[in-house]
Amino acid sequence: MTPKLYVYEHCPFCVKARMIFGLKNIAFEKVILLNDNEADPIRMVGKKTLPILEEEGHFMGESMDIVAHVDKQNQPIVVGPTSPEIAAWLKEVMPLSAPLIMPRVACAPLKDFATTGARAYFLCKKEALTGPFNECLGKSESLVEELNLLLEKLAPMIKESNAVNGQLSTDDFHLFAQLRSFSIVKNAHYPLEVATYLQTMSKLSKVSLLDAVAV
Ligand SMILES: N[C@@H](CCC(=O)N[C@@H](CS)C(=O)NCC(=O)O)C(=O)O
């Protein structure tokens, strides 16, 4: 039976789980849940969280557990070394993530928010973390400037366009998921190495970027 992967389109953790199927060319059914659907995730894994993998009536949460589980099914591909430099970069960019991404995701035409209730649920929950979205958006210019500096800093760390450290590793899941979320930010400047990595990983993993709905 084809495995089912329950996801939100905006969600970087869901991107990690989607990536392993795309990279390994394994068929799966992508099921996009409404953001205010609490009942289904709670029924499946006991809490309101995605991604969730359903296989033969069994449910698995936690994005990187799903990656490891799918990877070991036949010839593993996520076998490369990780780099402390990439972990440090992801840590450094983290404070920019919510204020730049959440307010833009909140108004994007994604299936996660196909109903007014689903969009309102997201807005309410995430504004509690970031503060009012209009205030975040008001700081866009300086936040994008900071992001651009960090993208410049990332460029020389990218060894290959299909594997940040030269061979596919868990770093690629964390890095591509983060960069794909940032692709919703209009006017960010991607150095060539970063742009090529983003496009290549999107194509190989079959996870589309959010640039089509960038704000
Ligand atoms: N550690 C989990 C984190 C998953 C997570 O935080 N998912 C978010 C979506 S991006 C979620 O479902 N949050 C609950 C909500 O949005 O209501 C994983 O890696 O899968």
Side-chain angles (χ1 to χ4, degrees):
M1 220 165 77
T2 313
K4 268 189 192 175
L5 190 63
Y6 298 86
V7 298
Y8 305 122
E9 280 197 287
H10 77 273
C11 164
F13 301 99
C14 303
V15 163
K16 296 176 194 181
R18 289 165 62 187
M19 284 173 76
I20 192 66
F21 284 98
L23 290 165
K24 294 193 83 168
N25 267 318
I26 296 176
F28 72 105
E29 184 186 344
K30 185 175 79 171
V31 183
I32 299 169
L33 293 191
L34 286 172
N35 202 248
D36 61 344
N37 177 345
E38 294 183 336
D40 282 325
I42 291 172
R43 172 180 55 79
M44 293 188 274
V45 294
K47 57 182 175 174
K48 203 279 189 184
T49 184
L50 292 186
I52 296 170
L53 174 66
E54 179 180 1
E55 251 180 12
E56 315 285 348
H58 294 282
F59 299 103
M60 176 185 271
E62 281 304 317
S63 54
M64 293 310 289
D65 288 352
I66 296 171
V67 170
H69 172 75
V70 175
D71 194 35
K72 69 170 192 249
Q73 279 174 13
N74 40 40
Q75 191 71 27
I77 58 168
V78 190
V79 293
T82 57
S83 151
E85 226 186 356
I86 296 299
W89 187 87
L90 286 166
K91 204 168 164 194
E92 203 176 350
V93 85
M94 187 61 81
L96 301 177
S97 192
L100 273 173
I101 294 163
M102 298 300 175
R104 288 168 171 82
V105 160
C107 60
L110 301 174
K111 289 187 179 143
D112 321 358
F113 313 120
T115 63
T116 311
R119 196 177 296 278
Y121 179 96
F122 180 86
L123 194 126
C124 220
K125 205 163 179 179
K126 303 301 176 183
E127 272 196 326
L129 302 174
T130 61
F133 282 168
N134 59 356
E135 285 180 18
C136 296
L137 289 169
K139 294 181 195 144
S140 287
E141 206 177 304
S142 65
L143 291 171
V144 172
E145 253 173 52
E146 282 183 63
L147 175 62
N148 286 344
L149 288 175
L150 284 171
L151 292 171
E152 290 286 342
K153 191 170 167 182
L154 175 65
M157 299 179 200
I158 298 179
K159 296 212 171 78
E160 301 287 344
S161 64
N162 62 358
V164 67
N165 301 323
Q167 191 180 16
L168 197 71
S169 71
T170 52
D171 280 354
D172 290 294
F173 291 78
H174 303 307
L175 182 61
F176 175 72
Q178 179 65 78
L179 291 173
R180 188 260 189 184
S181 286
F182 278 130
S183 72
I184 201 166
V185 181
K186 229 181 200 161
N187 301 327
H189 176 73
Y190 292 87
L192 185 62
E193 296 87 337
V194 183
T196 309
Y197 176 78
L198 201 48
Q199 294 297 337
T200 307
M201 291 303 291
S202 168
K203 196 168 162 203
L204 293 176
S205 64
K206 303 171 190 72
V207 176
S208 56
L209 302 179
L210 296 173
D211 50 356
V213 295
V215 183

